[in-house]
Amino acid sequence: MTVRKITIADAAFEPSPGQDADIQQGNVIDQRHGGPVTIGYGRYGANQRIDEHIKVDDIMLILEGQITVSSDAGTETAGPGEIIYMPKGSSLSIGAGAEGAVTAYVTYPHWQEAIDG
Amino acid sequence: MTVRKITIADAAFEPSPGQDADIQQGNVIDQRHGGPVTIGYGRYGANQRIDEHIKVDDIMLILEGQITVSSDAGTETAGPGEIIYMPKGSSLSIGAGAEGAVTAYVTYPHWQEAIDG
């Protein structure tokens, strides 16, 4: 691996697995590239929500709109430039507001391998 | 660890080690918290630059301004919403443009432990 610039145009968006909301994510860097982390972008339609038990550490930075995450720790809403840190093992609900949302994410380790494993 | 919102107001900025440019970073999540990744924010003064050999995988997302990273792989300039992925072992020069820059970063593993180790 070498130093690489990543933009949202590099993301091949696809529906998030296990749900039928209008929520898509596109990995740009993942297990195919040999490093320890997955890097990608996410898109949430207006008022769309997903419930998840996450099997990796997931760091989500909001680029546009607002994201609300509810978990045992309470409910947090984040906007542009803010981050939601979701440690491995968290059970949570991730939802966008009326304007939808665009996010960037980093997971350690690779979330697709954790789901398959 | 529980789900947590992180904002730039949570970052206690300090000068980046080993350099005397106007470049500061502030970890919010790191080895003190027991997880695998460090999360924080960076601030670069106008036209400031740092040369580094990085010992961790470092994912930098630009929030304001522009960052140019030069390495063996060439030179990349990124702006708001774009990411520079710097794999472990990269030798590089990171510089801000005339308007300075604000960034968010995630490193795996913890960069402060890698420097001390």
Side-chain angles (χ1 to χ4, degrees):
Chain A
M1 286 288 303
T2 55
V3 174
R4 176 166 168 186
K5 175 180 174 178
I6 298 167
T7 78
I8 196 166
D10 300 321
F13 286 99
E14 53 190 359
S16 293
Q19 55 94 38
D20 53 11
D22 176 19
I23 297 175
Q24 299 190 307
Q25 92 286 322
N27 289 354
V28 180
I29 299 290
D30 60 19
Q31 56 279 359
R32 298 166 296 175
H33 300 87
V37 294
T38 289
I39 307 170
Y41 288 89
R43 283 198 304 222
Y44 294 70
N47 303 311
Q48 298 296 294
R49 197 185 74 168
I50 184 171
D51 296 321
E52 280 194 285
H53 178 79
I54 58 169
K55 298 182 175 179
V56 296
D57 276 66
D58 189 337
I59 299 95
M60 178 172 57
L61 190 141
I62 290 81
L63 295 171
E64 300 175 19
Q66 294 207 314
I67 290 283
T68 296
V69 176
S70 298
S71 69
D72 290 346
T75 296
E76 298 277 13
T77 296
E82 298 178 332
I83 294 166
I84 303 276
Y85 176 33
M86 297 169 280
K88 177 178 176 176
S90 305
S91 289
L92 36 77
S93 171
I94 307 174
E99 49 184 334
V102 177
T103 65
Y105 57 79
V106 178
T107 79
Y108 171 80
H110 302 295
W111 70 266
Q112 281 178 336
E113 292 187 339
I115 284 184
D116 292 341
Chain B
M1 287 290 299
T2 54
V3 174
R4 179 170 164 180
K5 175 181 174 178
I6 298 167
T7 78
I8 195 167
D10 298 321
F13 286 99
E14 52 190 1
S16 292
Q19 56 94 36
D20 53 12
D22 176 19
I23 297 175
Q24 299 190 306
Q25 93 287 318
N27 290 354
V28 179
I29 299 290
D30 59 19
Q31 57 278 357
R32 297 167 296 175
H33 301 87
V37 295
T38 290
I39 307 170
Y41 287 89
R43 283 198 304 223
Y44 295 71
N47 302 310
Q48 299 295 295
R49 199 186 71 170
I50 184 171
D51 296 322
E52 281 192 285
H53 178 78
I54 58 168
K55 298 182 175 177
V56 295
D57 277 66
D58 190 338
I59 299 96
M60 179 171 59
L61 188 142
I62 289 80
L63 295 172
E64 301 176 18
Q66 293 208 314
I67 290 283
T68 297
V69 176
S70 298
S71 69
D72 289 347
T75 296
E76 298 278 11
T77 296
E82 298 179 334
I83 293 167
I84 304 277
Y85 177 34
M86 299 171 280
K88 178 179 176 177
S90 305
S91 289
L92 38 79
S93 172
I94 307 174
E99 48 183 333
V102 177
T103 65
Y105 57 80
V106 177
T107 79
Y108 171 81
H110 301 295
W111 70 267
Q112 283 180 334
E113 292 188 337
I115 283 184
D116 292 341

